[in-house]
Amino acid sequence: MKFIVKLFPEIMIKGGPVKKRMISMLHDNLRTLLFRIDNSIEIKRFWDKIEVQVDDQYVNAVRKVLQQTPGVEQYLEVVQYETGEDLNAIAEKVAFHKLDLIDGKTFVVRAKRSGEHSLTSFEIERFVGSYMYEHGNPKGVDLHKPEVKVEFELNQNTLNVITKRQPGLGGFPIGLQGEVLSLMSGGFDSTVASYLTMKRGIKTHFIFFNLGGAAHEVGVKQVALYLWSQFGASHRVQFISVPFEGVVEEIFRSTHESYMGVTLKRLMIMASEKIADVMGIDALVTGESVAQVSSQTLRNLAVIDEVSNKLILRPLATMNKPEIIQIADSIGTREFAENMPEYCGVISKNPVTSASFSRMEREAKRFNYEVLEEAIERSITIPVDKIIEDVNAAAPVEVVNTPGDAKVIDIRRESEATHDPLPIENINIPFNELNRTFKKLDQSFQYVLYCEKGVMSQLHAQYLRDAGYDNVRVYRPL
């Protein structure tokens, strides 16, 4: 099958050299991603499109890549024929694919030409439309609001019959817009903000400030891995974990309770700036939305930004929570966010909503910044694509390769468990329901949790252990 990749409209209005560079980058990104499927896939670059030729066995995998790669506005699935300008041959091939679709419906024919032709698009459309009307059983022709649009392209002597048109992600290809360091808590806001920078073509690294222990870190690593693998896997990025428990302790010791929330955000920005400097990154990303919580009023954001010379991007600044959740739904991060513990709020007591710059300066002078420097020095950086190995190597919960007498709980989404079922007896409790449902199970049994990569099972086994259940392990078959 052949796919024709249409480019994001903003790419097409760029100047010649910039457009050429962007198309070249998108071609390279697709080449990287598609060659992981099979290196026999053919990818050709043109001035206004990219064509992908693929064996039928890889069609679904290629569709997924094209749907999720920044820079792809839409893609067409086409069947090609060498017809020249033979109108009868063109009409026959188009009718072969489209005639059944217009049965009992209004339709219109739309032809697009490229190259040199003796016939106009209108002449081709009129001939093919008449042929389909005579050989089919349509309700009629409607040029303005048809129920079915019959589309094809004629490129020189080649006819491309469009069998399907699917939307892509849009945005710019990753690799041309620089790099950012995104502050990740794993909740709705930070994950959506990271997605939006990736969609805009920005290479997005992740930094996590650990306030809640091993289980929280595993959860954030999981959602960072998900975002990267879905939308940014054409480029390698880093995940940085900064141990911030000591910083929180120092905030409690030195800072008035009303300024603790703002102080924590300032210290996160300061640490991020230092790490970004080492990485050669000029901008930070946060998931803050104006007025969503006390630390996100305009005044408090100004006080927070005061500690950094970096550009701080806030893609969600003017979005409301339902809008953010809707995006999380569409990109598949909602379930991660709903099950992610949120620790930033634990130090917010009687928070100030309009911080004073002078008062903040006095509060800041009481903080021992050696604690912050120590946290930065103890930070750990790993490539995002190594997260699975890292989590499995450091897993505090026992991993078994055979369940033995234990009951197996498949914590994948129901659709995933149904599509690729385990070959042994199990019960399916999706991970977003597990913490609520597990307590209702017979606790006299031992249980082992299964997921495809072994990361979410580690996370939720740790959650259950922390909740007092010691009859849980992780199942990872060989």
Side-chain angles (χ1 to χ4, degrees), residues 417-476:
T418 302
H419 177 71
D420 184 23
L422 280 173
I424 61 174
E425 184 179 351
N426 68 89
I427 54 177
N428 177 225
I429 305 176
F431 70 87
N432 57 302
E433 300 176 9
L434 184 65
N435 295 349
R436 179 178 65 255
T437 303
F438 188 82
K439 61 185 178 182
K440 301 176 184 178
L441 301 179
D442 186 343
Q443 299 303 317
S444 65
F445 289 101
Q446 293 289 316
Y447 294 94
V448 291
L449 308 185
Y450 171 82
C451 68
E452 183 181 5
K453 301 293 187 181
V455 181
M456 287 300 287
S457 52
Q458 286 283 357
L459 168 66
H460 286 278
Q462 187 63 51
Y463 284 168
L464 294 172
R465 288 290 182 93
D466 291 346
Y469 299 99
D470 57 5
N471 57 338
V472 183
R473 291 173 293 169
V474 170
Y475 173 50
R476 190 161 68 247

Short mmCIF file of all heavy atoms in Angstrom, two decimals, residues 417-476:
data_model
loop_
_atom_site.label_atom_id
_atom_site.label_comp_id
_atom_site.label_asym_id
_atom_site.label_seq_id
_atom_site.Cartn_x
_atom_site.Cartn_y
_atom_site.Cartn_z
N ALA A 417 -6.15 -6.00 26.72
CA ALA A 417 -6.21 -7.37 27.22
C ALA A 417 -7.03 -8.26 26.29
O ALA A 417 -6.72 -9.44 26.11
CB ALA A 417 -6.80 -7.38 28.63
N THR A 418 -8.07 -7.68 25.70
CA THR A 418 -8.90 -8.46 24.77
C THR A 418 -8.19 -8.71 23.46
O THR A 418 -8.27 -9.80 22.89
CB THR A 418 -10.23 -7.71 24.51
OG1 THR A 418 -10.90 -7.50 25.75
CG2 THR A 418 -11.12 -8.51 23.57
N HIS A 419 -7.47 -7.70 22.98
CA HIS A 419 -6.76 -7.83 21.70
C HIS A 419 -5.60 -8.82 21.77
O HIS A 419 -5.35 -9.56 20.83
CB HIS A 419 -6.24 -6.46 21.26
CG HIS A 419 -5.44 -6.48 20.00
ND1 HIS A 419 -6.00 -6.70 18.76
CD2 HIS A 419 -4.10 -6.33 19.78
CE1 HIS A 419 -5.06 -6.69 17.84
NE2 HIS A 419 -3.90 -6.47 18.43
N ASP A 420 -4.90 -8.83 22.90
CA ASP A 420 -3.73 -9.70 23.06
C ASP A 420 -3.83 -10.42 24.40
O ASP A 420 -3.11 -10.11 25.34
CB ASP A 420 -2.45 -8.86 22.98
CG ASP A 420 -1.20 -9.72 23.03
OD1 ASP A 420 -1.28 -10.92 22.69
OD2 ASP A 420 -0.13 -9.18 23.40
N PRO A 421 -4.73 -11.40 24.52
CA PRO A 421 -4.99 -12.02 25.83
C PRO A 421 -3.82 -12.87 26.32
O PRO A 421 -3.07 -13.44 25.53
CB PRO A 421 -6.23 -12.89 25.55
CG PRO A 421 -6.16 -13.19 24.08
CD PRO A 421 -5.57 -11.97 23.45
N LEU A 422 -3.68 -12.93 27.63
CA LEU A 422 -2.69 -13.81 28.24
C LEU A 422 -3.10 -15.27 28.01
O LEU A 422 -4.29 -15.59 28.05
CB LEU A 422 -2.59 -13.53 29.74
CG LEU A 422 -1.75 -12.33 30.17
CD1 LEU A 422 -1.91 -12.10 31.67
CD2 LEU A 422 -0.30 -12.51 29.81
N PRO A 423 -2.12 -16.15 27.82
CA PRO A 423 -2.46 -17.55 27.56
C PRO A 423 -2.78 -18.35 28.82
O PRO A 423 -2.97 -19.56 28.75
CB PRO A 423 -1.19 -18.09 26.88
CG PRO A 423 -0.10 -17.25 27.43
CD PRO A 423 -0.68 -15.88 27.65
N ILE A 424 -2.80 -17.69 29.98
CA ILE A 424 -3.11 -18.38 31.23
C ILE A 424 -4.30 -17.70 31.88
O ILE A 424 -4.67 -16.57 31.56
CB ILE A 424 -1.91 -18.36 32.20
CG1 ILE A 424 -1.53 -16.92 32.56
CG2 ILE A 424 -0.72 -19.10 31.60
CD1 ILE A 424 -0.44 -16.84 33.62
N GLU A 425 -4.93 -18.39 32.80
CA GLU A 425 -6.11 -17.86 33.49
C GLU A 425 -5.76 -16.59 34.25
O GLU A 425 -4.73 -16.51 34.93
CB GLU A 425 -6.66 -18.91 34.46
CG GLU A 425 -7.96 -18.49 35.15
CD GLU A 425 -8.50 -19.56 36.08
OE1 GLU A 425 -7.96 -20.69 36.04
OE2 GLU A 425 -9.45 -19.26 36.82
N ASN A 426 -6.61 -15.59 34.13
CA ASN A 426 -6.35 -14.32 34.80
C ASN A 426 -7.64 -13.54 34.94
O ASN A 426 -8.67 -13.90 34.34
CB ASN A 426 -5.32 -13.51 34.01
CG ASN A 426 -5.86 -13.03 32.68
OD1 ASN A 426 -6.46 -11.95 32.57
ND2 ASN A 426 -5.67 -13.85 31.63
N ILE A 427 -7.58 -12.48 35.71
CA ILE A 427 -8.67 -11.53 35.79
C ILE A 427 -8.16 -10.18 35.31
O ILE A 427 -7.00 -9.83 35.55
CB ILE A 427 -9.27 -11.42 37.21
CG1 ILE A 427 -8.18 -11.09 38.25
CG2 ILE A 427 -10.00 -12.67 37.60
CD1 ILE A 427 -8.71 -10.88 39.64
N ASN A 428 -8.99 -9.45 34.60
CA ASN A 428 -8.60 -8.15 34.07
C ASN A 428 -9.15 -7.04 34.94
O ASN A 428 -10.35 -6.86 35.05
CB ASN A 428 -9.09 -8.00 32.62
CG ASN A 428 -8.77 -6.62 32.03
OD1 ASN A 428 -9.60 -6.00 31.40
ND2 ASN A 428 -7.56 -6.14 32.24
N ILE A 429 -8.23 -6.33 35.60
CA ILE A 429 -8.60 -5.13 36.36
C ILE A 429 -7.71 -4.01 35.85
O ILE A 429 -6.52 -3.96 36.19
CB ILE A 429 -8.41 -5.30 37.87
CG1 ILE A 429 -9.18 -6.53 38.39
CG2 ILE A 429 -8.86 -4.05 38.62
CD1 ILE A 429 -8.96 -6.80 39.87
N PRO A 430 -8.21 -3.13 34.98
CA PRO A 430 -7.37 -2.06 34.44
C PRO A 430 -6.69 -1.26 35.55
O PRO A 430 -7.26 -1.08 36.64
CB PRO A 430 -8.38 -1.19 33.66
CG PRO A 430 -9.46 -2.14 33.28
CD PRO A 430 -9.59 -3.09 34.45
N PHE A 431 -5.47 -0.78 35.26
CA PHE A 431 -4.66 -0.15 36.31
C PHE A 431 -5.36 1.03 36.96
O PHE A 431 -5.16 1.29 38.16
CB PHE A 431 -3.30 0.27 35.74
CG PHE A 431 -3.35 1.43 34.78
CD1 PHE A 431 -3.29 2.74 35.23
CD2 PHE A 431 -3.42 1.22 33.41
CE1 PHE A 431 -3.32 3.81 34.35
CE2 PHE A 431 -3.44 2.27 32.52
CZ PHE A 431 -3.39 3.57 32.99
N ASN A 432 -6.22 1.74 36.21
CA ASN A 432 -6.89 2.89 36.79
C ASN A 432 -7.99 2.50 37.77
O ASN A 432 -8.52 3.34 38.49
CB ASN A 432 -7.46 3.79 35.70
CG ASN A 432 -8.41 3.06 34.77
OD1 ASN A 432 -8.03 2.07 34.16
ND2 ASN A 432 -9.63 3.54 34.67
N GLU A 433 -8.34 1.21 37.82
CA GLU A 433 -9.36 0.74 38.76
C GLU A 433 -8.76 -0.11 39.88
O GLU A 433 -9.45 -0.46 40.84
CB GLU A 433 -10.41 -0.10 38.02
CG GLU A 433 -11.16 0.64 36.92
CD GLU A 433 -12.11 -0.25 36.15
OE1 GLU A 433 -12.31 -1.41 36.59
OE2 GLU A 433 -12.65 0.18 35.11
N LEU A 434 -7.49 -0.46 39.75
CA LEU A 434 -6.90 -1.46 40.64
C LEU A 434 -6.88 -1.02 42.10
O LEU A 434 -7.25 -1.80 43.00
CB LEU A 434 -5.47 -1.79 40.17
CG LEU A 434 -4.76 -2.89 40.95
CD1 LEU A 434 -5.47 -4.23 40.77
CD2 LEU A 434 -3.30 -2.99 40.50
N ASN A 435 -6.42 0.19 42.36
CA ASN A 435 -6.29 0.62 43.75
C ASN A 435 -7.63 0.60 44.48
O ASN A 435 -7.70 0.33 45.69
CB ASN A 435 -5.69 2.03 43.82
CG ASN A 435 -4.26 2.05 43.31
OD1 ASN A 435 -3.65 1.00 43.10
ND2 ASN A 435 -3.73 3.24 43.11
N ARG A 436 -8.72 0.87 43.75
CA ARG A 436 -10.05 0.87 44.34
C ARG A 436 -10.62 -0.54 44.47
O ARG A 436 -11.32 -0.86 45.43
CB ARG A 436 -10.99 1.74 43.49
CG ARG A 436 -12.41 1.81 43.99
CD ARG A 436 -13.26 2.72 43.13
NE ARG A 436 -13.44 2.23 41.78
CZ ARG A 436 -12.83 2.71 40.71
NH1 ARG A 436 -11.98 3.70 40.83
NH2 ARG A 436 -13.06 2.21 39.51
N THR A 437 -10.27 -1.41 43.51
CA THR A 437 -10.89 -2.73 43.44
C THR A 437 -10.14 -3.79 44.25
O THR A 437 -10.75 -4.73 44.75
CB THR A 437 -10.97 -3.18 41.95
OG1 THR A 437 -11.69 -2.19 41.22
CG2 THR A 437 -11.64 -4.52 41.81
N PHE A 438 -8.83 -3.62 44.40
CA PHE A 438 -8.02 -4.67 45.01
C PHE A 438 -8.48 -5.02 46.43
O PHE A 438 -8.48 -6.18 46.84
CB PHE A 438 -6.55 -4.27 45.02
CG PHE A 438 -5.63 -5.37 45.46
CD1 PHE A 438 -5.21 -6.34 44.56
CD2 PHE A 438 -5.18 -5.45 46.78
CE1 PHE A 438 -4.37 -7.37 44.96
CE2 PHE A 438 -4.35 -6.47 47.19
CZ PHE A 438 -3.94 -7.44 46.28
N LYS A 439 -8.89 -4.01 47.18
CA LYS A 439 -9.28 -4.25 48.57
C LYS A 439 -10.52 -5.14 48.68
O LYS A 439 -10.79 -5.71 49.74
CB LYS A 439 -9.53 -2.92 49.28
CG LYS A 439 -10.64 -2.07 48.68
CD LYS A 439 -10.72 -0.72 49.38
CE LYS A 439 -11.80 0.18 48.76
NZ LYS A 439 -11.84 1.50 49.41
N LYS A 440 -11.28 -5.26 47.57
CA LYS A 440 -12.48 -6.11 47.59
C LYS A 440 -12.17 -7.57 47.29
O LYS A 440 -13.04 -8.43 47.41
CB LYS A 440 -13.49 -5.59 46.55
CG LYS A 440 -13.93 -4.14 46.79
CD LYS A 440 -14.85 -3.66 45.68
CE LYS A 440 -15.23 -2.20 45.86
NZ LYS A 440 -16.09 -1.71 44.74
N LEU A 441 -10.93 -7.85 46.87
CA LEU A 441 -10.55 -9.22 46.54
C LEU A 441 -10.28 -10.03 47.81
O LEU A 441 -10.03 -9.47 48.88
CB LEU A 441 -9.30 -9.22 45.65
CG LEU A 441 -9.40 -8.48 44.32
CD1 LEU A 441 -8.07 -8.56 43.58
CD2 LEU A 441 -10.53 -9.03 43.46
N ASP A 442 -10.32 -11.34 47.68
CA ASP A 442 -10.02 -12.25 48.80
C ASP A 442 -8.54 -12.15 49.12
O ASP A 442 -7.68 -12.58 48.35
CB ASP A 442 -10.39 -13.68 48.39
CG ASP A 442 -10.24 -14.66 49.54
OD1 ASP A 442 -9.58 -14.33 50.54
OD2 ASP A 442 -10.78 -15.79 49.42
N GLN A 443 -8.22 -11.58 50.28
CA GLN A 443 -6.83 -11.32 50.64
C GLN A 443 -6.09 -12.55 51.17
O GLN A 443 -4.92 -12.46 51.54
CB GLN A 443 -6.75 -10.18 51.66
CG GLN A 443 -7.30 -8.87 51.15
CD GLN A 443 -6.63 -8.39 49.87
OE1 GLN A 443 -5.41 -8.46 49.76
NE2 GLN A 443 -7.42 -7.92 48.89
N SER A 444 -6.76 -13.68 51.19
CA SER A 444 -6.07 -14.92 51.58
C SER A 444 -5.22 -15.47 50.43
O SER A 444 -4.40 -16.35 50.62
CB SER A 444 -7.08 -15.99 52.02
OG SER A 444 -7.92 -16.38 50.94
N PHE A 445 -5.42 -14.92 49.22
CA PHE A 445 -4.67 -15.36 48.06
C PHE A 445 -3.45 -14.46 47.84
O PHE A 445 -3.42 -13.30 48.26
CB PHE A 445 -5.54 -15.32 46.79
CG PHE A 445 -6.60 -16.37 46.74
CD1 PHE A 445 -7.92 -16.07 47.04
CD2 PHE A 445 -6.28 -17.69 46.39
CE1 PHE A 445 -8.90 -17.04 46.98
CE2 PHE A 445 -7.26 -18.67 46.34
CZ PHE A 445 -8.58 -18.35 46.65
N GLN A 446 -2.45 -15.00 47.14
CA GLN A 446 -1.35 -14.22 46.61
C GLN A 446 -1.74 -13.74 45.21
O GLN A 446 -2.44 -14.44 44.48
CB GLN A 446 -0.07 -15.06 46.53
CG GLN A 446 0.49 -15.46 47.88
CD GLN A 446 1.08 -14.26 48.61
OE1 GLN A 446 1.79 -13.44 48.03
NE2 GLN A 446 0.78 -14.18 49.91
N TYR A 447 -1.28 -12.55 44.83
CA TYR A 447 -1.61 -12.00 43.53
C TYR A 447 -0.34 -11.54 42.82
O TYR A 447 0.61 -11.06 43.46
CB TYR A 447 -2.57 -10.81 43.67
CG TYR A 447 -3.93 -11.19 44.20
CD1 TYR A 447 -4.22 -11.11 45.57
CD2 TYR A 447 -4.93 -11.66 43.35
CE1 TYR A 447 -5.47 -11.47 46.07
CE2 TYR A 447 -6.17 -12.02 43.83
CZ TYR A 447 -6.43 -11.94 45.19
OH TYR A 447 -7.66 -12.31 45.68
N VAL A 448 -0.34 -11.68 41.50
CA VAL A 448 0.75 -11.14 40.68
C VAL A 448 0.14 -10.25 39.61
O VAL A 448 -0.89 -10.58 39.02
CB VAL A 448 1.60 -12.26 40.03
CG1 VAL A 448 2.40 -12.99 41.08
CG2 VAL A 448 0.75 -13.24 39.23
N LEU A 449 0.75 -9.09 39.40
CA LEU A 449 0.24 -8.10 38.45
C LEU A 449 1.00 -8.20 37.13
O LEU A 449 2.22 -8.32 37.11
CB LEU A 449 0.38 -6.68 39.01
CG LEU A 449 -0.19 -6.42 40.41
CD1 LEU A 449 -0.07 -4.94 40.76
CD2 LEU A 449 -1.63 -6.90 40.53
N TYR A 450 0.26 -8.09 36.04
CA TYR A 450 0.88 -8.17 34.72
C TYR A 450 0.53 -6.95 33.89
O TYR A 450 -0.61 -6.48 33.87
CB TYR A 450 0.40 -9.42 33.96
CG TYR A 450 0.85 -9.42 32.51
CD1 TYR A 450 2.12 -9.84 32.16
CD2 TYR A 450 -0.01 -8.97 31.50
CE1 TYR A 450 2.54 -9.82 30.84
CE2 TYR A 450 0.40 -8.94 30.17
CZ TYR A 450 1.68 -9.37 29.84
OH TYR A 450 2.09 -9.33 28.54
N CYS A 451 1.53 -6.40 33.19
CA CYS A 451 1.32 -5.43 32.12
C CYS A 451 2.37 -5.70 31.06
O CYS A 451 3.32 -6.44 31.29
CB CYS A 451 1.38 -3.99 32.62
SG CYS A 451 3.02 -3.47 33.17
N GLU A 452 2.21 -5.09 29.91
CA GLU A 452 3.06 -5.45 28.76
C GLU A 452 4.54 -5.20 29.03
O GLU A 452 5.39 -6.04 28.75
CB GLU A 452 2.62 -4.67 27.52
CG GLU A 452 3.42 -5.05 26.27
CD GLU A 452 2.99 -4.24 25.06
OE1 GLU A 452 2.16 -3.33 25.21
OE2 GLU A 452 3.50 -4.53 23.97
N LYS A 453 4.89 -4.03 29.57
CA LYS A 453 6.28 -3.67 29.76
C LYS A 453 6.80 -3.95 31.17
O LYS A 453 8.00 -3.91 31.41
CB LYS A 453 6.48 -2.18 29.47
CG LYS A 453 6.07 -1.77 28.06
CD LYS A 453 6.98 -2.38 27.01
CE LYS A 453 6.65 -1.82 25.64
NZ LYS A 453 7.49 -2.41 24.58
N GLY A 454 5.90 -4.19 32.11
CA GLY A 454 6.33 -4.45 33.47
C GLY A 454 6.51 -3.21 34.32
O GLY A 454 6.91 -3.30 35.48
N VAL A 455 6.24 -2.03 33.76
CA VAL A 455 6.45 -0.78 34.49
C VAL A 455 5.23 -0.43 35.33
O VAL A 455 5.34 -0.18 36.53
CB VAL A 455 6.78 0.38 33.52
CG1 VAL A 455 7.01 1.67 34.30
CG2 VAL A 455 8.01 0.04 32.70
N MET A 456 4.03 -0.41 34.72
CA MET A 456 2.84 -0.10 35.49
C MET A 456 2.57 -1.14 36.56
O MET A 456 2.05 -0.82 37.63
CB MET A 456 1.64 0.02 34.54
CG MET A 456 1.64 1.27 33.69
SD MET A 456 1.62 2.79 34.66
CE MET A 456 -0.07 2.79 35.26
N SER A 457 2.91 -2.39 36.28
CA SER A 457 2.70 -3.42 37.31
C SER A 457 3.62 -3.17 38.51
O SER A 457 3.22 -3.37 39.66
CB SER A 457 2.94 -4.81 36.73
OG SER A 457 4.19 -4.90 36.07
N GLN A 458 4.86 -2.69 38.25
CA GLN A 458 5.74 -2.33 39.35
C GLN A 458 5.17 -1.17 40.15
O GLN A 458 5.18 -1.17 41.38
CB GLN A 458 7.12 -1.94 38.80
CG GLN A 458 7.96 -3.10 38.31
CD GLN A 458 8.57 -3.88 39.46
OE1 GLN A 458 8.41 -3.51 40.62
NE2 GLN A 458 9.25 -4.96 39.14
N LEU A 459 4.69 -0.16 39.44
CA LEU A 459 4.13 1.01 40.11
C LEU A 459 2.98 0.65 41.02
O LEU A 459 2.95 1.00 42.20
CB LEU A 459 3.67 2.02 39.04
CG LEU A 459 2.80 3.18 39.52
CD1 LEU A 459 3.59 4.08 40.44
CD2 LEU A 459 2.24 3.95 38.33
N HIS A 460 2.02 -0.11 40.49
CA HIS A 460 0.82 -0.39 41.27
C HIS A 460 1.05 -1.45 42.33
O HIS A 460 0.40 -1.44 43.38
CB HIS A 460 -0.33 -0.75 40.34
CG HIS A 460 -0.87 0.45 39.62
ND1 HIS A 460 -1.77 1.30 40.19
CD2 HIS A 460 -0.58 0.97 38.41
CE1 HIS A 460 -2.05 2.28 39.35
NE2 HIS A 460 -1.33 2.09 38.26
N ALA A 461 1.99 -2.34 42.10
CA ALA A 461 2.37 -3.26 43.17
C ALA A 461 2.97 -2.48 44.34
O ALA A 461 2.69 -2.77 45.51
CB ALA A 461 3.36 -4.30 42.65
N GLN A 462 3.76 -1.47 44.01
CA GLN A 462 4.35 -0.63 45.07
C GLN A 462 3.28 0.16 45.79
O GLN A 462 3.30 0.31 47.02
CB GLN A 462 5.39 0.30 44.47
CG GLN A 462 6.18 1.10 45.51
CD GLN A 462 7.00 0.20 46.41
OE1 GLN A 462 7.74 -0.66 45.94
NE2 GLN A 462 6.87 0.37 47.72
N TYR A 463 2.30 0.70 45.05
CA TYR A 463 1.19 1.40 45.68
C TYR A 463 0.49 0.49 46.69
O TYR A 463 0.21 0.90 47.84
CB TYR A 463 0.16 1.82 44.63
CG TYR A 463 0.52 3.01 43.78
CD1 TYR A 463 -0.21 3.31 42.65
CD2 TYR A 463 1.59 3.84 44.10
CE1 TYR A 463 0.10 4.40 41.84
CE2 TYR A 463 1.92 4.92 43.32
CZ TYR A 463 1.18 5.20 42.19
OH TYR A 463 1.49 6.27 41.40
N LEU A 464 0.20 -0.72 46.26
CA LEU A 464 -0.52 -1.65 47.13
C LEU A 464 0.33 -2.04 48.33
O LEU A 464 -0.19 -2.19 49.44
CB LEU A 464 -0.95 -2.89 46.33
CG LEU A 464 -2.00 -2.62 45.23
CD1 LEU A 464 -2.21 -3.86 44.38
CD2 LEU A 464 -3.32 -2.17 45.84
N ARG A 465 1.63 -2.22 48.12
CA ARG A 465 2.52 -2.50 49.25
C ARG A 465 2.50 -1.33 50.25
O ARG A 465 2.44 -1.54 51.46
CB ARG A 465 3.95 -2.73 48.75
CG ARG A 465 4.16 -4.06 48.02
CD ARG A 465 4.09 -5.24 48.99
NE ARG A 465 4.34 -6.50 48.34
CZ ARG A 465 5.53 -7.08 48.26
NH1 ARG A 465 6.59 -6.48 48.78
NH2 ARG A 465 5.67 -8.24 47.66
N ASP A 466 2.56 -0.12 49.72
CA ASP A 466 2.53 1.05 50.60
C ASP A 466 1.22 1.15 51.37
O ASP A 466 1.17 1.72 52.47
CB ASP A 466 2.73 2.33 49.78
CG ASP A 466 4.15 2.45 49.22
OD1 ASP A 466 5.03 1.69 49.67
OD2 ASP A 466 4.36 3.29 48.32
N ALA A 467 0.14 0.61 50.78
CA ALA A 467 -1.17 0.64 51.43
C ALA A 467 -1.34 -0.51 52.43
O ALA A 467 -2.40 -0.64 53.06
CB ALA A 467 -2.28 0.57 50.38
N GLY A 468 -0.31 -1.33 52.57
CA GLY A 468 -0.36 -2.39 53.57
C GLY A 468 -0.61 -3.79 53.04
O GLY A 468 -0.71 -4.74 53.82
N TYR A 469 -0.71 -3.95 51.72
CA TYR A 469 -0.93 -5.28 51.14
C TYR A 469 0.42 -5.90 50.77
O TYR A 469 1.13 -5.39 49.90
CB TYR A 469 -1.81 -5.17 49.88
CG TYR A 469 -3.18 -4.59 50.14
CD1 TYR A 469 -3.45 -3.25 49.88
CD2 TYR A 469 -4.20 -5.39 50.65
CE1 TYR A 469 -4.71 -2.71 50.12
CE2 TYR A 469 -5.47 -4.85 50.88
CZ TYR A 469 -5.71 -3.53 50.62
OH TYR A 469 -6.96 -3.01 50.87
N ASP A 470 0.77 -6.98 51.46
CA ASP A 470 2.07 -7.62 51.19
C ASP A 470 1.91 -8.90 50.38
O ASP A 470 2.86 -9.69 50.27
CB ASP A 470 2.81 -7.91 52.50
CG ASP A 470 2.00 -8.79 53.44
OD1 ASP A 470 0.91 -9.26 53.05
OD2 ASP A 470 2.48 -9.01 54.58
N ASN A 471 0.73 -9.12 49.81
CA ASN A 471 0.46 -10.33 49.03
C ASN A 471 0.49 -10.05 47.53
O ASN A 471 -0.24 -10.65 46.74
CB ASN A 471 -0.90 -10.94 49.41
CG ASN A 471 -2.06 -9.96 49.24
OD1 ASN A 471 -1.86 -8.75 49.24
ND2 ASN A 471 -3.27 -10.49 49.11
N VAL A 472 1.34 -9.10 47.13
CA VAL A 472 1.38 -8.66 45.74
C VAL A 472 2.81 -8.76 45.20
O VAL A 472 3.76 -8.32 45.85
CB VAL A 472 0.90 -7.20 45.59
CG1 VAL A 472 0.88 -6.78 44.13
CG2 VAL A 472 -0.47 -7.02 46.19
N ARG A 473 2.95 -9.33 44.02
CA ARG A 473 4.21 -9.35 43.30
C ARG A 473 3.95 -8.98 41.84
O ARG A 473 2.82 -8.71 41.44
CB ARG A 473 4.86 -10.73 43.39
CG ARG A 473 5.35 -11.09 44.79
CD ARG A 473 5.84 -12.53 44.87
NE ARG A 473 4.72 -13.48 44.68
CZ ARG A 473 4.86 -14.77 44.50
NH1 ARG A 473 6.08 -15.32 44.44
NH2 ARG A 473 3.80 -15.55 44.35
N VAL A 474 5.00 -8.96 41.05
CA VAL A 474 4.91 -8.60 39.63
C VAL A 474 5.16 -9.86 38.80
O VAL A 474 6.10 -10.61 39.04
CB VAL A 474 5.92 -7.51 39.27
CG1 VAL A 474 5.98 -7.30 37.76
CG2 VAL A 474 5.56 -6.21 39.97
N TYR A 475 4.31 -10.06 37.80
CA TYR A 475 4.45 -11.20 36.89
C TYR A 475 4.99 -10.72 35.56
O TYR A 475 4.39 -9.89 34.88
CB TYR A 475 3.07 -11.87 36.70
CG TYR A 475 3.05 -12.96 35.63
CD1 TYR A 475 4.00 -13.97 35.63
CD2 TYR A 475 2.06 -12.96 34.66
CE1 TYR A 475 3.97 -14.98 34.66
CE2 TYR A 475 2.01 -13.96 33.69
CZ TYR A 475 2.96 -14.97 33.71
OH TYR A 475 2.94 -15.95 32.74
N ARG A 476 6.16 -11.25 35.20
CA ARG A 476 6.75 -10.92 33.90
C ARG A 476 7.22 -12.23 33.26
O ARG A 476 8.32 -12.72 33.56
CB ARG A 476 7.90 -9.94 34.04
CG ARG A 476 8.37 -9.39 32.70
CD ARG A 476 9.17 -8.12 32.84
NE ARG A 476 10.44 -8.32 33.49
CZ ARG A 476 10.75 -7.84 34.68
NH1 ARG A 476 9.87 -7.11 35.35
NH2 ARG A 476 11.94 -8.06 35.22
#
